[in-house]
Amino acid sequence: MRPFLYERATSECAAVQLAASGAPAQFLAGGTTLIDLMKLDVLRPARLIDINGLAAGAAGLIEEREGALRLGALVDMAQAAEHPVVRRKFPVLADALRQAASQQVRNMASLGGNLLQRTRCPYYRDRSWPACNRRKPGSGCGALHGQNRGHAVLGVSDACIATYPGDLAVALVALDAVLEIIGADGARTMGAAELHRLPADTPHVETNLAPGQLIAAIRVPAGPWTRRSLYLKVRDRESYQFALASAAVALDLSDGMVRHARVGLGGVATIPWRATAAEDQLVGRRLDGELARATAEAAFAAARPARHNAFKLGLGKRTLERALLQAAQMEL
Amino acid sequence: MGRPEPRVDGRLKVTGNARYASDFPVANPAHACLVTSAIAKGRIVSFDLDDARAVPGVLDILTHETVGNEVHEPKFFGSGGTASTIHRPLSSAQISHAGQIVAIVVADTYEAAREAAYRVRVTYEEEDAATTLDSDGVETLPATKVRKEHKNPRVGDAAAALRAAPVTIDAVYETPTQHHNAIELYATTCVWSGEQLTVYEPSQFVHALKHAMAEQLGIDAEDVRVISPYVGGAFGSKAAVTPRTALVAIAARRLNRPVKLVATRAQGFTIATYRAETRHRVRLGAQRDGKLTAYVHEGWEATSRLDDYLVGGTETTAHIYDVPNVSTRVNVVRTDRATPGFMRSPPEVPYVFALETALDELAEALDMDPIELRRINDTRNDPITGAPYTSRSLMACYDEASRAFGWRRRNLPPGSMRDGDWLVGWGCATAVYPTFMGAATARVRLARNGATRVEIAAHDLGTGAYTAIAQTAAERLGLPVAAVEVLLGDSALPAAPVAGGSNTTASCCNVVAKACDGIRRRLVRAAMRADRGPLRGRKPSSVNFVDRHIAGEDGAKVSLADAFDMLGAPMIEEYAHWLPHGMEPDALKKLHLGSAALTGGAMEDRIAAAFGAELVELRVNVYTGELRVPRIVGAFAAGRIVNPRTAHSQYVGGMIWGIASALHEQTELDRRVARYVNTDLAEYLIPVNADVPDVQAILVSEEDRLVNPLGIKGLGELANVGTAAALGNALYHATGRRIRKLPLRIEDVL
Ligand SMILES: Cc1cc2nc3c(=O)[nH]c(=O)nc-3n(C[C@H](O)[C@H](O)[C@H](O)COP(=O)(O)OP(=O)(O)OC[C@H]3O[C@@H](n4cnc5c(N)ncnc54)[C@H](O)[C@@H]3O)c2cc1C
Ligand code: SF4
């Protein structure tokens, strides 16, 4: 780890003011991504601004306002996963959180930090690998022709095929969640789906957050589909592993016909993936096995596998298929 | 002995008071951090150390330019030496495997050392590296070429028998690279006091480490002391001496200050040993009634260029079943990788996987229950030599495991059992581990008040050795376990064998019992000679030590304290050595020089092994291909069980290892550059609790009057043998698909 300056902020305002002045800074929440990558010498912030104090205010609260859910960015994963409103009215969020990481990590980790967790690509995480465009722009991609079982098949580029590893963000993009962003120049909102950028030629530019901007909260609108929602996560072992493939599904059904559908995919894409092609397939049709299959096909039509991850096409499709059929059978 | 005593060190461990190597407080230590090679083959052209030196607190940076030939070339343990490899990092610019140590930064704090290590810049000249079994540039050699002592067991005419067999199997099996990943990292602290060196390092063989330091540093062995009272898991990785220790000693000597190294998890993948990948071609011939007529097994094992490490598992598999015609052959494949090393049941895990899977294929071909097939081919004698087993309870294990599992309800045809979205398969396999023993020495002191101290340089890797040894002494001396203090893991104590080959309980309990018997003899003699003593004139064999007394069969007794008074001494100290059956007479001398020689398994006049039967249920999700193991039952027989509680824990842990080796563990290689990729515990998968909901271990009773005086067989490496085959067989039973390559994964069944 390199030496860094440690500062503490007790309000959103103070946090962004601190971040706007002086050497480049990173906000420190649970540290389960940030400190880890600092120890590995992958992230080398000159300053850390500890924002855990913000949890005492609105950033630490879970509120329901006019049907919409507002999750403060410093709510920890465990707290959100266990919250009765989240569990009852937004089961896909509770599912995604409950199946993420371990109880110990969930106790430490914040929701804001969770969205901004970095890829688990081993060529990124170990700086002794010479090639990684995400870590060292222009150096090439170690994974493209290396070990890539865990890598993405959707949203990939020749510059980077790293999987976005998080679970929560997949559910959030499906539900059209909105982020409350605060910068030194004021507050604004941003769709959760706009947070992450496709790698394209610049995988090192990971998000559309400007330096020093703070995520204050996540707002999740309720819709007739949010109650009939779930998150299905497939992995080699039962728990404590990132997804090989996952699907966040929210459905509004009427007599078996799909009125609205929201579909997110995880473990298979470079960003939290909103599968709009799949949603288009579903709307206005009767959800049966055949439609689920066709939907899954559509969702992966543009997939581009590498050497070791070709199985993710089949796995991703079946995961989505299962998630759709399970959601259709949910008893509300 | 035989009671499920709780671990005597349990409280120390759960309260954090057991001192592991890096916990020992030393005065004013400097901290070392390793820099490891980013390439697998080639040479270092230059270092740029300016940035690293500029980090405040940096004291020294060792490279091949500063160390050179300061470390003498050690002898490989496979050739009778102590070292995991003859490779000497920092002796030259040459790179012989990825992740080898290329520099060591020493600083006032761990943080400064680690930061500076990141700032060391190395320029390499890289050459193409040969990564694994079928890579370009590897060299394949028969094991007999590289190691003179290697034997390929054979008997009869297997080729002819195969040709004549009405039913045959011919298949290729593969097992992956795996790493031990003990929770305790590779740590070393070296402290010099004048000419004397003290090493704190988790070790499975403190005497070897002591002699290795003398050999590698050119100092007197009597000036070296190795302290390793607790080891946080080892599994073979802390037995042979790795290159790091001598380098840390040199760093400490240069600074004239204690130096402490705790390597990172990722570095642990390359600075020590690992289980190498293997390939097997197995051919079986059988009659229609299931009687085996031929067994042909050829194995290929990856190794390094420098050391001819090999496991040669046919030395186990050739002796298990009653086959009249056996032919085996083992090859090593030299790659540009680090030298592999022992990892829990080194030969058995890969070779038994191959054989036990092939047997399942044969059962399928014969339309026969796989347990029945094993019953038909059970034996009381070594099929290669004809020598008898000292004891063998394989079929008793199958019987008990089957009953507990409900095997009778199994449908024979594959794909015929289903539960909702899950295909269900039941599989079985044999677990086997040869019984090894080593020459050992021990000192036992008994005081008048019953306080007992046992001193032996054995090792407790978390397995329960402290407890088993305390129980042995307590029973021999008629004392409660709490009266016995056991000292282990210190090279200043009487020498004991390497904690390998699961020999510790057998070797150490026998020698400790022998020392106790020496004490008993002296006390008994005194009690029998004492005027007016209640035991006067008895035969020594007619008394026993019970409940702090020497007791005759008729109830007459003398308290220990009185016996001491009759003897006229406040305490007795006895030193004993023990040589197991079949051990060469110079074994003690070798032991004192740190040689890991063991005896056992298939010997000329007898064969000794522990057996078990493992039955598993595997479920395969019909949609997603997820593989889950809702239950596993293992029944094991390993002679006399000193402590059923710690034995049970070894069996349960072993089966969990087995599940891991079947479904989870694999070190992934980037084949382009011979480097490991998933070098942390988030990506190197092992089962979590949710993966092992129901693991049942049954202890099958077995009496062995031949194997050693106490009738003990090793069992620590028994239960992770066969599990992978049982799971692969269950996968076949669930799906009708035969996967011959580990680990079994979603992509194999989708
Ligand atoms: C072993 C392991 C397993 C895991 N498994 C899973 C899994 O299965 N699924 C899953 O989803 N996750 C998993 N995780 C990831 C884990 O959930 C994230 O590390 C965690 O959520 C990050 O939150 P944090 O509060 O610790 O963030 P930090 O580490 O503190 O911060 C992460 C990043 O976000 C920035 N940041 C934090 N908060 C804000 C904010 N409010 N505004 C702007 N920037 C901010 C920081 O500057 C930093 O760049 C795993 C992690 C580990 C270590
Ligand atoms: S996939 Fe992306 S993160 Fe991984 S090596 Fe390639 S560029 Fe780096």
Side-chain angles (χ1 to χ4, degrees):
Chain A
M1 206 185 271
R2 315 236 165 179
F4 56 86
L5 197 69
Y6 173 86
E7 290 160 285
R8 224 179 271 174
T10 45
S11 71
E12 275 95 342
C13 255
V16 296
Q17 291 305 335
L18 270 175
S21 55
Q26 291 257 345
F27 296 119
L28 173 67
T32 60
T33 287
L34 184 55
I35 301 296
D36 187 24
L37 289 171
M38 285 170 69
K39 285 190 194 165
L40 296 171
D41 205 36
V42 171
L43 295 181
R44 305 166 180 177
R47 286 194 304 150
L48 290 190
I49 299 166
D50 187 336
I51 55 172
N52 285 293
L54 274 55
L61 294 179
I62 300 176
E63 299 161 290
E64 202 185 2
R65 286 189 199 153
E66 292 145 24
L69 188 64
R70 185 179 187 277
L71 303 162
L74 284 144
V75 169
D76 64 61
M77 291 169 71
Q79 200 186 333
E82 287 149 25
H83 195 275
V85 174
V86 180
R87 289 174 58 164
R88 204 168 56 246
K89 299 189 177 171
F90 300 84
V92 65
L93 299 181
D95 279 0
L97 286 164
R98 198 173 35 79
Q99 295 177 74
S102 64
Q103 185 65 42
Q104 291 88 337
V105 175
R106 293 195 292 271
N107 289 340
M108 285 295 293
S110 68
L111 299 182
N114 184 276
L115 302 185
L116 293 171
Q117 66 181 286
R118 307 302 204 275
T119 184
R120 306 300 296 191
C121 173
Y123 299 90
Y124 169 81
R125 286 174 56 84
D126 180 344
R127 63 191 277 295
S128 70
W129 287 102
C132 174
N133 288 324
R134 192 174 284 258
R135 175 167 42 78
K136 217 162 94 187
S139 60
C141 172
L144 192 58
H145 301 291
Q147 266 295 340
N148 45 38
R149 176 176 190 257
H151 286 72
V153 294
L154 290 168
V156 298
S157 72
D158 285 343
C160 180
I161 58 171
T163 303
Y164 173 78
D167 294 301
L168 174 64
V170 174
L172 292 177
V173 299
L175 296 187
D176 293 308
V178 171
L179 308 178
E180 293 177 16
I181 310 284
I182 302 179
D185 52 356
R188 65 179 180 113
T189 59
M190 178 196 273
E194 283 138 58
L195 178 62
H196 290 93
R197 293 164 59 110
L198 284 168
D201 293 337
T202 52
H204 60 287
V205 190
E206 301 186 300
T207 71
N208 286 318
L209 275 189
Q213 285 188 336
L214 180 82
I215 300 176
I218 304 163
R219 285 208 303 253
V220 193
W225 50 84
T226 34
R227 272 183 187 254
R228 185 182 291 285
S229 68
L230 59 79
Y231 187 77
L232 185 66
K233 181 173 177 182
V234 176
R235 38 196 164 166
D236 296 302
R237 67 181 174 194
E238 187 63 22
S239 173
Y240 203 19
Q241 190 187 350
F242 293 93
L244 288 171
S246 70
V249 165
L251 298 174
D252 173 20
L253 297 183
S254 152
D255 294 333
M257 301 291 284
V258 181
R259 285 210 296 215
H260 297 94
R262 299 285 185 272
V263 177
L265 297 175
V268 291
T270 53
I271 56 172
W273 194 258
R274 175 80 180 261
T276 43
E279 295 171 4
D280 294 345
Q281 283 278 330
L282 291 164
V283 174
R285 298 215 170 91
R286 177 167 300 281
L287 183 48
D288 56 12
E290 202 176 316
L291 180 64
R293 225 172 356 260
T295 303
E297 285 298 328
F300 283 85
R304 206 184 91 184
R307 175 150 176 210
H308 305 108
N309 67 359
F311 75 100
K312 285 194 173 182
L313 261 66
L315 182 64
K317 287 179 203 170
R318 285 165 178 226
T319 304
L320 175 53
E321 217 180 300
R322 284 307 290 157
L324 287 168
L325 295 175
Q326 275 179 20
Q329 282 159 17
M330 276 175 82
E331 282 179 24
L332 299 185
Chain B
M1 265 204 268
R3 272 205 301 266
E5 293 285 345
R7 283 159 199 267
V8 296
D9 49 349
R11 192 187 172 81
L12 279 182
K13 287 188 173 175
V14 297
T15 55
N17 286 312
R19 270 199 187 145
Y20 292 84
S22 65
D23 300 337
F24 276 89
V26 294
N28 190 30
H31 297 264
C33 186
L34 305 176
V35 181
T36 55
S37 170
I39 67 163
K41 190 178 182 187
R43 47 186 295 280
I44 299 165
V45 177
S46 63
F47 286 102
D48 179 349
L49 303 177
D50 293 349
D51 256 16
R53 287 209 175 98
V55 173
V58 168
L59 303 167
D60 197 4
I61 302 179
L62 283 73
T63 66
H64 69 273
E65 286 156 7
T66 47
V67 175
N69 277 320
E70 214 171 318
V71 179
H72 304 214
E73 181 169 307
K75 200 164 168 207
F76 180 52
F77 83 92
S79 318
T82 54
S84 67
T85 173
I86 60 164
H87 182 229
R88 288 176 301 154
L90 306 198
S91 68
S92 78
Q94 210 65 33
I95 301 293
S96 66
H97 66 85
Q100 80 168 53
I101 300 170
V102 295
I104 302 180
V105 179
V106 189
D108 278 326
T109 62
Y110 174 76
E111 290 73 17
R114 194 164 184 195
E115 185 198 348
Y118 280 130
R119 292 180 186 268
V120 168
R121 276 194 293 276
V122 192
T123 310
Y124 301 98
E125 205 170 83
E126 189 170 2
E127 293 167 41
D128 285 345
T131 304
T132 183
L133 299 180
D134 45 13
S135 301
D136 291 341
V138 298
E139 190 187 357
T140 302
L141 294 166
T144 45
K145 260 256 170 59
V146 300
R147 201 181 292 174
K148 284 190 304 292
E149 327 79 81
H150 178 80
K151 287 196 287 284
N152 286 318
R154 58 169 58 238
V155 68
D157 184 347
L162 259 187
R163 276 194 303 275
V167 187
T168 57
I169 295 296
D170 183 351
V172 173
Y173 306 93
E174 289 177 50
T175 64
T177 314
Q178 295 178 337
H179 278 79
H180 311 76
N181 276 314
I183 284 299
E184 184 191 25
L185 298 164
Y186 295 110
T188 300
T189 302
C190 288
V191 183
W192 289 94
S193 162
E195 299 289 293
Q196 290 174 337
L197 171 66
T198 306
V199 180
Y200 300 91
E201 178 176 310
S203 171
Q204 289 174 262
F205 199 6
V206 290
H207 265 79
L209 187 47
K210 162 177 155 163
H211 284 278
M213 285 310 98
E215 177 189 26
Q216 296 181 30
L217 298 169
I219 57 178
D220 190 336
E222 292 321 303
D223 284 336
V224 184
R225 181 163 174 204
V226 176
I227 297 179
S228 177
Y230 297 101
V231 180
F235 316 115
S237 68
K238 295 164 182 169
V241 177
T242 66
R244 71 178 194 275
T245 316
L247 296 173
V248 175
I250 286 174
R253 191 159 62 188
R254 282 167 64 91
L255 287 177
N256 194 19
R257 184 171 163 184
V259 171
K260 196 164 176 172
L261 167 76
V262 181
T264 66
R265 176 65 61 189
Q267 289 167 348
F269 279 77
T270 61
I271 63 158
T273 62
Y274 60 97
R275 193 197 292 283
E277 58 276 24
T278 66
R279 180 175 297 153
H280 310 259
R281 182 178 180 203
V282 177
R283 281 172 286 175
L284 297 176
Q287 298 168 10
R288 296 220 177 273
D289 62 3
K291 182 77 200 61
L292 283 166
T293 55
Y295 167 40
V296 181
H297 193 149
E298 180 161 15
W300 290 264
E301 309 174 7
T303 190
S304 69
R305 301 268 184 207
L306 292 171
D307 309 290
D308 289 306
Y309 176 82
L310 69 102
V311 298
T314 54
E315 289 197 52
T316 298
T317 57
H319 306 277
I320 305 178
Y321 296 111
D322 183 24
V323 199
N325 304 289
V326 176
S327 163
T328 66
R329 205 176 126 97
V330 171
N331 307 283
V332 296
V333 180
R334 289 181 177 159
T335 66
D336 294 306
R337 302 250 304 280
T339 304
F342 290 146
M343 178 160 157
R344 201 172 187 177
S345 336
E348 288 76 19
V349 162
Y351 282 80
V352 171
F353 165 69
L355 171 59
E356 290 294 310
T357 312
L359 278 175
D360 199 68
E361 302 205 37
L362 180 62
E364 176 66 22
L366 293 164
D367 207 13
M368 179 180 273
D369 178 275
I371 297 180
E372 197 49 34
L373 177 63
R374 285 157 176 97
R375 193 181 309 278
I376 290 168
N377 292 289
D378 191 31
T379 179
R380 310 299 310 170
N381 296 85
D382 182 340
I384 305 292
T385 62
Y389 271 94
T390 58
S391 61
R392 170 169 161 134
S393 312
L394 174 61
M395 292 324 297
C397 292
Y398 270 112
D399 291 342
E400 293 210 23
S402 308
R403 208 166 334 162
F405 189 87
W407 186 260
R408 261 186 319 125
R409 297 192 306 274
R410 182 179 187 262
N411 294 345
L412 200 50
S416 63
M417 290 163 68
R418 184 167 172 161
D419 181 6
D421 289 349
W422 297 85
L423 299 174
V424 178
W426 291 1
C428 71
T430 296
V432 56
Y433 196 79
T435 301
F436 295 112
M437 293 153 282
T441 68
R443 192 163 43 232
V444 178
R445 189 175 74 188
L446 173 66
R448 184 178 177 281
N449 65 359
T452 304
R453 184 148 121 176
V454 179
E455 299 180 338
I456 177 167
H459 316 82
D460 191 328
L461 315 176
T463 45
Y466 278 107
T467 313
I469 291 169
Q471 283 177 270
T472 304
E475 187 196 76
R476 286 316 247 216
L477 300 175
L479 295 167
V481 171
V484 183
E485 181 195 12
V486 179
L487 301 184
L488 306 180
D490 181 340
S491 65
L493 302 172
V498 59
S502 297
N503 86 89
T504 293
T505 309
S507 309
C508 298
C509 290
N510 273 298
V511 72
V512 167
K514 197 174 161 193
C516 292
D517 288 350
I519 293 174
R520 284 169 60 128
R521 261 195 307 279
R522 284 162 65 176
L523 285 174
V524 167
R525 211 179 303 135
M528 285 169 183
R529 286 186 187 155
D531 292 341
R532 293 193 301 275
L535 296 174
R536 186 177 168 75
R538 304 287 169 105
K539 279 216 295 289
S541 59
S542 71
V543 298
N544 210 344
F545 279 56
V546 201
D547 206 8
R548 294 179 185 270
H549 286 79
I550 308 174
E553 282 152 350
D554 56 356
K557 57 185 182 179
V558 171
S559 75
L560 276 188
D562 287 347
F564 269 102
D565 293 342
M566 293 168 180
L567 181 69
M571 59 109 150
I572 305 176
E573 189 164 280
E574 273 286 334
Y575 170 88
H577 63 253
W578 180 70
L579 273 186
H581 172 87
M583 198 88 200
E584 322 120 44
D586 66 345
L588 273 174
K589 193 171 119 202
K590 284 194 178 155
L591 171 68
H592 286 113
L593 292 173
S595 151
L598 298 175
T599 181
M603 295 168 274
E604 269 170 30
D605 56 339
R606 53 168 83 162
I607 177 166
F611 283 90
E614 296 188 15
L615 311 188
V616 299
E617 177 171 322
L618 179 81
R619 292 181 170 226
V620 184
N621 189 288
V622 285
Y623 296 97
T624 57
E626 286 156 292
L627 305 169
R628 298 291 183 260
V629 185
R631 62 197 186 104
I632 177 166
V633 175
F636 307 92
R640 177 171 188 179
I641 301 301
V642 178
N643 183 331
R645 184 195 299 254
T646 52
H648 183 267
S649 129
Q650 287 299 305
Y651 290 146
V652 168
M655 284 189 275
I656 294 170
W657 259 70
I659 292 171
S661 74
L663 303 180
H664 305 115
E665 288 189 55
Q666 171 172 30
T667 316
E668 282 160 10
L669 272 157
D670 187 321
R671 288 174 175 242
R672 300 168 300 179
V673 290
R675 279 189 65 177
Y676 300 128
V677 175
N678 55 335
T679 55
D680 63 44
L681 288 182
E683 308 295 324
Y684 183 93
L685 300 182
I686 55 171
V688 297
N689 263 316
D691 291 301
V692 288
D694 186 357
V695 178
Q696 191 188 343
I698 300 169
L699 279 62
V700 175
S701 66
E702 180 180 75
E703 193 180 327
D704 192 320
R705 292 164 180 271
L706 217 50
V707 68
N708 52 54
L710 296 180
I712 297 168
K713 294 177 176 177
L715 56 81
E717 292 169 274
L718 176 58
N720 64 320
V721 180
T723 325
L727 282 159
N729 298 341
L731 177 61
Y732 178 80
H733 186 236
T735 63
R737 227 191 273 194
R738 182 66 68 181
I739 312 297
R740 300 187 178 87
K741 188 171 184 240
L742 297 176
L744 312 167
R745 277 185 163 170
I746 286 178
E747 51 263 51
D748 301 318
V749 297
L750 265 187

